């Protein structure tokens, strides 16, 4: 028994040495692009993977160096030749699965993505056939099924995994997200509550908040997000979700406190200042609202939402000329963009509608008409909305004469 243990230690040590050497030559290849370096990296990593075929880290590193050196086809051919002789060769299937997954994000055509998804899913199915306890394979297969819109199969894989490992956080997260996507929020809540009693984590509290939010139980969503923030106080994401929930509940003083904390945690995020401006505006503290919207504008000068709030705050302050200037400058900036995209069209429509309404409220009917006429040229939907505004404006003009 002792000799077997020593043999295992020796094998792990050799695998670790081969992995380190493979990693070293892979880094050298990134600098030099020399074939000699990549050949050594692949040789060492293949040795390491042979010694430790269950290592995700080694498999990922080997798949990555095949990808970086543009030898994916060689790797796939080599793995398939092994599987042709030995269909139950688990290391070859694991490597092939990782290679397919690694190439997914770089395929530009839909057909190539579909084929690669199918190949990757096939390998992970085979891996689970050969090793039903492979957690990583189950998680990947569920992800791939979801990408293929095969939600029932994904759910079955995840339920099987959680029957074996009920506290597996990644499995719980995937199944919860799947249930939320399917509108099964109550089941997601029940499952999360059971697991949180045994093994609470910030991520699971966050998911519980999402589930409660989906069924519009805002107080319980707030409580769950607060638990996540308290469990992981340095994570800005948890504080953001709590702050947004408090804002949705119109608990402005508490939301204000959270966003002030977020500014201290991340002074470069324009959204924090924008939400502070929104809260101060609701609390009728317009001077502080203006200060914060300008801080947001410094960090996101081309944001439509920032422009909207800046113009709205000036309007609330009784400064319509400033509001008109902000909107007119934004329109000019968008119109100077070289490419006319759907996003640009929608942005212009929002700006024209707000600007035209402001001209109307300040009795500048000629400018309002011109603005809405610009809006109707943008497209069918914008034409319909602009004509409705022009019809309203016609009534307003008649009433002033």
């Amino acid at each position: 028994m002792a000799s077997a243990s020593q043999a295992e230690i020796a094998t792990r040590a050799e695998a670790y040495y081969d992995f380190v050497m493979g990693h070293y030559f892979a880094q050298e290849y990134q600098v030099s692009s020399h074939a000699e370096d990549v050949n050594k990296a692949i040789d060492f990593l293949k040795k390491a993977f042979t010694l430790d075929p269950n290592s995700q880290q080694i498999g990922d590193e080997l798949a990555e160096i095949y990808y970086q050196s543009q030898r994916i086809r060689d790797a796939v051919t080599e793995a398939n030749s092994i599987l042709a002789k030995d269909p139950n060769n688990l290391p070859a299937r694991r490597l092939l699965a990782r290679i397919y997954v690694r190439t997914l994000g770089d395929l530009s055509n839909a057909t190539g993505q579909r084929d690669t998804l199918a190949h990757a899913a096939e390998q992970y199915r085979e891996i689970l056939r050969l090793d039903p306890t492979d957690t990583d394979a189950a998680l990947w297969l569920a992800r791939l099924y979801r990408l293929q819109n095969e939600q029932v199969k994904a759910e079955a894989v995840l339920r099987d995994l959680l029957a074996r490992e009920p506290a597996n956080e990644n499995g719980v997260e995937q199944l919860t997200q799947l249930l939320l996507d399917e509108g099964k929020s109550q089941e997601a809540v029940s499952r999360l509550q059971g697991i949180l009693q045994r093994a609470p984590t910030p991520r699971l509290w966050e998911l519980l908040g999402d589930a409660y939010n989906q069924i519009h139980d805002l107080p319980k969503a707030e409580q769950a997000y607060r638990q996540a923030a308290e469990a992981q106080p340095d994570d800005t994401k948890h504080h953001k979700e709590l702050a947004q929930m408090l804002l949705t509940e119109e608990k402005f003083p508490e939301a204000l406190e959270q966003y002030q904390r977020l500014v201290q945690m991340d002074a470069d995020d324009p959204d924090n200042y924008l939400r502070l401006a929104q809260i101060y505006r609701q609390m009728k503290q317009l001077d502080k609202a203006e200060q914060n919207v300008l801080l947001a504008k410094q960090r996101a000068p081309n944001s439509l939402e920032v422009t909207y709030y800046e113009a709205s705050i000036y309007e609330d302050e009784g400064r319509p000329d400033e509001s008109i200037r902000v909107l007119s400058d934004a329109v000019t900036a968008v119109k100077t963009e070289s490419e006319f995209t759907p996003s640009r069209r929608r942005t212009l429509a929002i700006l024209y509608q707000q600007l035209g309404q402001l001209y109307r409220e300040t009795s500048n009917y000629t400018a309002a008409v011109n603005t809405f006429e610009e809006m109707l040229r943008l497209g069918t939907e914008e034409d319909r909305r602009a004509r409705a505004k022009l019809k309203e404006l016609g009534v307003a003009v008649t009433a002033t004469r």
Side-chain angles (χ1 to χ4, degrees):
M1 190 72 178
S3 61
S5 179
Q6 289 178 355
E8 290 173 2
I9 292 170
T11 298
R12 285 199 298 269
E14 187 178 349
Y16 178 73
Y17 169 79
D18 289 331
F19 171 74
V20 170
M21 293 302 295
H23 182 71
Y24 168 77
F25 282 111
Q27 289 184 316
E28 287 293 300
Y29 172 71
Q30 289 180 2
V31 176
S32 68
S33 298
H34 291 162
E36 182 182 359
D37 288 328
V38 76
N39 289 337
K40 288 181 179 178
I42 290 173
D43 287 343
F44 275 115
L45 289 169
K46 284 171 69 175
K47 288 178 186 176
F49 197 56
T50 300
L51 292 167
D52 189 0
N54 296 322
S55 170
Q56 181 180 349
Q57 187 177 14
I58 296 172
D60 287 345
E61 186 90 7
L62 183 53
E64 181 66 22
I65 192 61
Y66 274 129
Y67 176 81
Q68 293 291 344
S69 60
Q70 299 183 341
R71 299 188 183 185
I72 290 292
R73 183 173 296 178
D74 293 343
V76 170
T77 301
E78 183 178 342
N80 278 325
S81 67
I82 294 171
L83 292 172
K85 300 173 187 173
D86 180 10
N88 294 334
N89 190 301
L90 194 53
R93 291 203 179 276
R94 283 179 172 145
L95 179 59
L96 196 53
R98 289 188 174 98
I99 289 170
Y100 284 134
V101 166
R102 179 61 186 85
T103 58
L104 267 177
D106 296 285
L107 295 171
S108 56
N109 64 85
T111 302
Q113 285 187 336
R114 280 196 304 271
D115 291 345
T116 304
L117 273 172
H119 290 319
E122 178 189 4
Q123 293 308 315
Y124 281 118
R125 278 195 299 271
E126 286 298 301
I127 291 167
L128 285 174
R129 178 181 65 81
L130 296 167
D131 182 4
T133 65
D134 190 325
T135 300
D136 184 59
L139 291 169
W140 266 113
L141 182 58
R143 290 189 195 103
L144 294 168
Y145 277 145
R146 290 179 68 191
L147 287 171
Q148 293 174 301
N149 292 318
E150 296 190 73
Q151 313 299 352
V152 174
K153 289 182 179 179
E155 188 173 330
V157 170
L158 291 168
R159 289 188 186 280
D160 185 55
L161 169 63
L162 292 172
R164 297 193 313 271
E165 303 176 37
N168 185 294
E169 184 172 342
N170 289 329
V172 172
E173 180 176 344
Q174 274 208 63
L175 181 57
T176 301
Q177 194 58 61
L178 183 61
L179 293 172
L180 291 176
D181 291 345
E182 294 175 337
K184 300 176 181 177
S185 307
Q186 199 57 60
E187 183 182 349
V189 167
S190 299
R191 179 173 287 274
L192 286 166
Q193 285 175 331
I195 293 169
L196 281 163
Q197 289 176 357
R198 299 191 304 271
T201 69
R203 177 58 182 148
L204 294 182
W205 281 118
E206 179 187 322
L207 287 169
L208 182 60
D210 292 344
Y212 277 129
N213 194 10
Q214 191 171 95
I215 60 176
H216 307 295
D217 192 337
L218 302 189
K220 287 185 179 178
E222 177 198 329
Q223 185 180 8
Y225 289 138
R226 195 178 295 279
Q227 291 275 15
E230 289 173 357
Q232 202 168 12
D234 295 331
D235 191 302
T236 57
K237 188 171 184 289
H238 300 320
H239 286 283
K240 264 188 176 294
E241 287 170 331
L242 174 58
Q244 184 59 54
M245 181 52 58
L246 291 166
L247 186 55
T248 302
E249 294 179 288
E250 298 187 355
K251 295 183 177 181
F252 299 123
E254 293 180 63
L256 181 66
E257 182 182 344
Q258 286 297 322
Y259 279 112
Q260 286 171 334
R261 180 169 182 173
L262 280 164
V263 164
Q264 293 175 343
M265 296 173 74
D266 185 0
D268 295 325
D269 187 347
D271 186 69
N272 295 332
Y273 299 99
L274 185 59
R275 300 305 153 216
L276 284 172
Q278 183 180 354
I279 293 166
Y280 280 126
R281 185 183 177 210
Q282 290 292 335
M283 297 171 70
K284 308 301 181 185
Q285 298 182 36
L286 297 180
D287 55 337
K288 292 182 179 178
E290 182 183 344
Q291 290 170 13
N292 280 279
V293 82
L294 291 176
L295 289 169
K297 188 175 183 178
Q298 288 175 9
R299 292 158 176 79
N302 298 319
S303 167
L304 174 61
E305 192 175 9
V306 171
T307 299
Y308 173 85
Y309 271 104
E310 184 184 8
S312 298
I313 290 166
Y314 288 141
E315 191 174 357
D316 290 347
E317 290 177 320
R319 298 160 61 188
D321 290 346
E322 283 295 297
S323 186
I324 288 170
R325 176 189 60 79
V326 167
L327 294 170
S328 298
D329 288 348
V331 167
T332 301
V334 175
K335 289 174 73 173
T336 56
E337 294 176 10
S338 57
E339 188 177 359
F340 195 80
T341 62
S343 174
R344 178 185 167 196
R345 187 184 73 244
R346 288 191 298 270
T347 298
L348 273 176
I350 292 169
L351 291 171
Y352 279 140
Q353 184 163 329
Q354 191 178 7
L355 183 57
Q357 188 65 26
L358 192 56
Y359 278 134
R360 176 187 173 180
E361 290 171 2
T362 56
S363 301
N364 190 344
Y365 299 113
T366 301
V369 169
N370 292 338
T371 301
F372 289 130
E373 285 180 345
E374 287 287 328
M375 180 179 167
L376 63 81
R377 297 189 183 99
L378 294 174
T380 304
E381 174 61 22
E382 291 78 12
D383 179 276
R384 184 186 62 79
R385 285 159 47 201
R387 288 185 184 280
K389 290 294 180 182
L390 286 167
K391 185 176 180 180
E392 292 174 11
L393 188 60
V395 173
V397 171
T398 301
T400 62
R401 288 177 178 170

